Amino acid sequence: MSSPVILLLSGSLRKGSTNEAVLRTAQTVAPSVGVDTVSYEDLARLPHFNPDDDTDPLPAPVAALRAALDRADGVLICTPEYAGTLPGSFKNLLDWTVGGTEICDKPAAWINAAAPGRGQGAEATLRTVLDYTGAKVVEPACVRIPVGRDALDEDGLIADPAVRRQLGEVIRLLAKG
């Protein structure tokens, strides 16, 4: 029997992003809970969403996104908050999922890595859009794990064993759906 596959979606385009570090760390701990992960890395390549372009043939980056979603058993998101909501580039990614059915009924969760008191606007918007697309939000896997730059080791991963265990638990819960 094959292991479940979780698609990792970062909402940040910035190199050295702590959101990206959270997902890279989750990827390193996922095998310990019997889960495989795949990172989606083409956020910057997605064209601006236009309903007129949401037809066959889809733009190649959109077709690749939808294929990655279709192959995955679940989706884990870690995104920053910009101006009280999701970054525009990440909202654009989510807009491209509305016209397809790949995310419908798919287990989804997020990790909020923002400092305490921050990130609630991104979480609220994310919940609204995921509900709209029909994704199945796995509540126990939606967590807040504040991560500062000082928490990263020389490889850009989170070294704290407690955080790594928590990320493993998030992945496990998401894989259970």
Side-chain angles (χ1 to χ4, degrees):
M1 186 165 120
S2 63
S3 299
V5 176
I6 302 298
L7 181 63
L8 305 175
L9 298 176
S10 174
S12 180
L13 292 170
R14 193 171 53 78
K15 289 185 187 271
S17 157
T18 53
N19 295 281
E20 189 71 30
V22 166
L23 292 177
R24 281 195 328 273
T25 305
Q27 192 163 39
T28 66
V29 301
S32 70
V33 294
V35 176
D36 292 328
T37 58
V38 174
S39 292
Y40 177 77
E41 298 179 359
D42 288 332
L43 178 62
R45 292 187 57 227
L46 287 171
H48 294 289
F49 177 72
N50 179 343
D52 292 338
D53 296 333
D54 197 0
T55 60
D56 286 328
L58 288 168
V62 176
L65 168 65
R66 288 189 180 172
L69 284 165
D70 194 45
R71 286 189 301 269
D73 298 303
V75 178
L76 180 61
I77 298 165
C78 192
T79 183
E81 177 180 87
Y82 292 155
T85 189
L86 295 172
S89 56
F90 192 68
K91 176 62 167 66
N92 183 59
L93 178 150
L94 294 172
D95 287 344
W96 278 113
T97 69
V98 172
T101 59
E102 298 82 7
I103 201 165
C104 188
D105 295 324
K106 186 129 342 200
W110 60 82
I111 297 171
N112 181 342
R118 311 256 337 207
Q120 293 90 336
E123 282 186 40
T125 305
L126 189 54
R127 179 180 300 283
T128 297
V129 175
L130 290 175
D131 285 346
Y132 186 84
T133 62
K136 178 183 163 192
V137 175
V138 179
E139 296 295 338
C142 296
V143 299
R144 172 178 287 276
I145 305 174
V147 176
R149 298 211 179 287
D150 58 341
L152 307 182
D153 65 16
E154 62 277 354
D155 295 323
L157 299 173
I158 301 167
D160 184 326
V163 171
R164 293 174 73 88
R165 277 191 301 278
Q166 190 174 10
L167 291 172
E169 181 64 6
V170 165
I171 293 280
R172 187 188 70 73
L173 289 168
L174 184 55
K176 280 178 44 178

